[in-house]
Amino acid sequence: MTNTLYRKSFLKLLDFSKEEIVYLLELADRFKKEKDLGIRHRICEGKNVALIFEKTSTRTRCAFEVAAADLGMHSVYLDPSASQIGKKESIEDTARVLGGMFEGIEYRGYGQERVQALADYSGVPVFNGLTNEFHPTQILADLMTIREVFGTTDGIKLVFMGDAKNNMGNSLMVGCAKMGMHFVACSPKKYFPDASLVSECKKIASESGAVLEFIEDPCEAVKDANVIYTDVWVSMGEDPSVWEERIKELSPYAVTQDLMEQAAGNAVFMHCLPSFHDLETEIGRQIHDRFGLTSMEVTDEVIRSERSVVFPEAHNRMHTIKAVMAACLCPEP
Ligand code: CP
Ligand code: NVA
């Protein structure tokens, strides 16, 4: 396939076809092989990218910085306190300024309309590094990992446990719908993804052959599942006062060894990370002191088990983000 992403922004997977997603995954596979073999691929030499983070990050920031360096680019990191964005300067003005200095802009922050405005006014490709609604570069890494584990995404059943109405639940549903996979959101009804996004995904599924299900009972949901996926119960930007309610309502959806054993024999565990699986974090300890939990959305046993692919999944963030930047910034990567 030729590169149809050149000069486009990467804001959400809804904007791309299955062929374009596969193109990015194959490009990421190629970059991963080249990196392993020590073959340099500085195909964006001389370009500059701005990395705007209004929320914190370990994986996404590092993936963009390392990928940019490997492609021969220079990156400038703007943290929540280091830019005027939103406080003293509108997104539109920021976009117009940065668009004249950089060939591409990454944005992590709040509403999807903010990353859309950056794309509308900057005149350069913009990459969504996570918004309240979507986390599209994470899904590419997840699909890459699924292809590495199972050799394909065809026929794969992925069950998302827990807060399925957040950026990860939404984006996995879109990704599975596009790829023709079997997606299950497993949570209480109020945590199912937004109805209008569900109906958009059902339309996509009717063409791709995907199956989308919304199930409240964990045992029923995980039957024959190949991937059990979860995410934190409270996302960045949410008010900490929601912890109590989330713990009460989502505890039955925690991924335990017992639940993993009810899935298909070849099932793997995935998580975008960071994760609360032990008491080695400040928030984990606070929750333990208040509610007595030693883990939240996944047990320590599962995340450390042989079925867990969370670290290869995290490493694949870099290769897939590199593919996105190369495809959007180079005519023929
Ligand atoms: N998965 C993910 O986006 O991680 P960070 O928040 O560390 O970037
Ligand atoms: N849902 C999480 C994902 C973190 C990568 C959040 O938005 O905080």
Side-chain angles (χ1 to χ4, degrees):
M1 198 188 110
T2 53
N3 179 18
T4 54
L5 283 93
Y6 181 49
R7 292 200 167 136
K8 287 194 184 150
S9 285
F10 189 79
L11 305 183
K12 56 188 189 307
L13 286 181
L14 285 169
D15 301 336
F16 298 95
S17 65
K18 175 177 180 179
E19 290 68 33
E20 287 173 320
I21 294 170
V22 171
Y23 174 81
L24 288 171
L25 296 175
E26 287 175 352
L27 192 55
D29 289 342
R30 191 190 97 200
F31 286 139
K32 184 169 181 172
K33 271 197 204 101
E34 289 181 356
K35 179 118 178 158
D36 282 351
L37 294 170
I39 299 170
R40 277 152 59 106
H41 36 262
R42 298 173 65 83
I43 56 175
C44 299
E45 188 97 56
K47 296 188 193 294
N48 294 284
V49 282
L51 310 177
I52 304 173
F53 282 82
E54 294 199 291
K55 292 176 179 170
T56 53
S57 168
T58 296
R59 277 147 292 273
T60 309
R61 175 186 174 182
C62 293
F64 270 98
E65 291 205 19
V66 173
D70 285 356
L71 291 169
M73 295 196 284
H74 177 64
S75 57
V76 174
Y77 171 69
L78 293 152
D79 75 22
S81 61
S83 76
Q84 313 282 24
I85 194 164
K87 290 172 237 70
K88 280 175 66 184
E89 191 160 30
S90 67
I91 304 262
E92 178 178 342
D93 288 0
T94 307
R96 291 186 194 280
V97 170
L98 298 182
M101 297 185 195
F102 294 92
E103 278 77 22
I105 302 170
E106 179 275 353
Y107 172 83
R108 162 172 288 199
Y110 298 92
Q112 186 72 13
E113 72 285 351
R114 293 169 78 81
V115 77
Q116 183 66 57
L118 275 173
D120 292 344
Y121 296 111
S122 65
V124 298
V126 171
F127 316 115
N128 180 354
L130 179 148
T131 56
N132 293 342
E133 293 84 357
F134 295 113
H135 196 5
T137 63
Q138 176 70 51
I139 308 312
L140 289 181
D142 299 340
L143 294 173
M144 181 177 186
T145 310
I146 290 169
R147 280 159 52 109
E148 287 175 345
V149 173
F150 297 104
T152 179
T153 54
D154 294 345
I156 297 298
K157 175 176 175 181
L158 182 152
V159 180
F160 183 90
M161 303 290 304
D163 182 13
K165 61 165 177 40
N166 74 9
N167 41 24
M168 283 308 306
N170 286 346
S171 306
L172 282 165
M173 176 172 69
V174 175
C176 290
K178 289 272 177 181
M179 297 301 287
M181 292 164 63
H182 184 168
F183 171 82
V184 181
C186 180
S187 63
K189 266 199 188 75
K190 69 186 261 203
Y191 293 92
F192 287 164
D194 175 67
S196 64
L197 184 64
V198 169
S199 74
E200 200 172 348
C201 288
K202 281 191 174 160
K203 264 190 225 134
I204 298 167
S206 68
E207 285 167 19
S208 69
V211 176
L212 307 181
E213 293 185 298
F214 305 88
I215 297 176
E216 289 186 83
D217 175 27
C219 300
E220 185 192 338
V222 301
K223 196 168 171 291
D224 300 324
N226 308 106
V227 178
I228 308 291
Y229 202 118
T230 192
D231 183 16
V232 290
W233 292 337
V234 178
S235 285
M236 289 182 279
E238 291 196 286
D239 194 301
S241 66
V242 299
W243 270 114
E244 187 165 358
E245 184 183 61
R246 294 286 164 83
I247 286 170
K248 194 163 146 241
E249 294 174 342
L250 295 178
S251 286
Y253 296 87
V255 180
T256 61
Q257 196 56 37
D258 180 48
L259 193 75
M260 289 301 298
E261 275 156 26
Q262 296 178 55
N266 64 358
V268 294
F269 173 73
M270 296 180 74
H271 192 309
C272 54
L273 303 180
S275 151
F276 296 119
H277 58 90
D278 58 21
L279 300 180
E280 299 301 316
T281 64
E282 243 172 65
I283 293 177
R285 283 191 293 274
Q286 283 167 13
I287 296 293
H288 173 257
D289 294 347
R290 280 180 69 196
F291 304 101
L293 297 185
T294 52
S295 65
M296 283 189 258
E297 73 277 5
V298 58
T299 61
D300 203 41
E301 184 183 17
V302 169
I303 211 163
R304 292 179 187 277
S305 72
E306 282 186 353
R307 285 167 177 259
S308 169
V309 294
V310 298
F311 296 114
E313 178 187 2
H315 303 157
N316 284 338
R317 298 296 310 287
M318 199 279 285
H319 307 295
T320 42
I321 280 172
K322 190 185 285 178
V324 169
M325 287 198 289
C328 297
L329 299 178
C330 300
E332 290 175 34

